[in-house]
Amino acid sequence: MTPSEFEKILHDAEIRLARLRALYEQYFQGIERLEPTVARKELERILETLRKNQPRNTGLRFRTQMLTAKYGTYITYWQRVARQIEEGTFRRDVVRAQQRRSRAEAQAKRPADEVWELQDDLEFDDDATDPGSGMPPFEPAEEVVPARGHAPTPARPAEAPSASPSSPGAVVASFAKPKAATFGRPGATNFSRPSLAPPP
């Protein structure tokens, strides 16, 4: 094997080692589900070829020895972490288990009044309110309660219609109980609440 061919194979092995390291990091983080054994076996095969055909060039020999030593260090680290994952003592798994346990304990300690439940047995009066709004029927107040320091305002009496219903063009005022506001729906009327009296 010529030195140029050996250098190409050595460069390929260095790239494969960097890729294998990235795959193992993804496996330890939980991104990859399986250990990258296929890529590891291919790299071991290439390293065995490099060991058998070492050239006389000192630089290439040094790079080969450094690559072999680095791979041996990674192998020791990967085996240790894989053993911790199997035993359940790996730091990532321990932290996740503690977080799950703390969330479960927090949910168990929550008082019953903080638990919100949907009520399916609500009944709505179609004549009084719109079921979609979820608002109670609108009832105008008879007397406005003044704020602290303001004079009370008396309620206004209902006014009689200005014109008789029999006259042509008369407008008959209806003082019936209005329906609830529907808040922006097309064709609906929004009623405003009576305003407080201005301060004296």
Side-chain angles (χ1 to χ4, degrees), residues 4-16:
S4 59
E5 293 176 355
F6 186 88
E7 188 175 3
K8 287 180 182 178
I9 296 174
L10 181 61
H11 183 68
D12 182 45
E14 290 172 348
I15 293 175
R16 285 177 182 268

Side-chain angles (χ1 to χ4, degrees), residues 155-163 171-176:
R156 292 187 301 176
E159 298 177 0
S162 59
V171 178
V172 178
S174 174
F175 294 99

Side-chain angles (χ1 to χ4, degrees), residues 18-174:
R19 176 168 168 71
L20 184 62
R21 180 187 175 192
L23 289 174
Y24 263 101
E25 290 299 326
Q26 291 177 1
Y27 169 66
F28 295 150
Q29 290 175 4
I31 300 172
E32 293 288 335
R33 297 295 180 185
L34 298 175
E35 191 174 351
T37 54
V38 176
R40 181 173 163 180
K41 287 180 181 177
E42 289 178 359
L43 180 60
E44 287 178 355
R45 182 179 52 81
I46 293 173
L47 287 177
E48 187 64 30
T49 306
L50 292 176
R51 282 191 211 104
K52 289 180 180 177
N53 302 318
Q54 283 198 9
R56 295 182 180 180
N57 189 337
T58 311
L60 294 178
R61 280 179 139 182
F62 178 74
R63 283 176 59 187
T64 307
Q65 291 172 0
M66 290 298 295
L67 183 65
T68 307
K70 189 186 290 187
Y71 179 69
T73 306
Y74 285 151
I75 286 292
T76 306
Y77 170 68
W78 295 336
Q79 288 176 350
R80 186 178 75 237
V81 176
R83 186 172 61 250
Q84 288 176 355
I85 290 175
E86 290 176 0
E87 293 172 355
T89 58
F90 188 46
R91 184 177 180 276
R92 178 201 68 194
D93 299 336
V94 172
V95 169
R96 286 182 182 175
Q98 289 175 352
Q99 289 176 352
R100 283 196 297 266
R101 192 180 312 120
S102 63
R103 279 197 299 263
E105 290 175 358
Q107 288 179 357
K109 288 180 181 177
R110 284 180 62 189
D113 57 353
E114 289 187 8
V115 178
W116 293 67
E117 295 182 0
L118 295 176
Q119 296 180 358
D120 296 335
D121 56 348
L122 294 178
E123 296 180 1
F124 294 98
D125 187 5
D126 293 336
D127 297 332
T129 183
D130 183 13
S133 65
M135 299 288 293
F138 176 75
E139 296 180 6
E142 295 181 3
E143 182 178 349
V144 177
V145 179
R148 188 176 298 174
H150 297 284
T153 57
R156 292 187 301 176
E159 298 177 0
S162 59
S164 62
S166 60
S167 62
V171 178
V172 178
S174 174

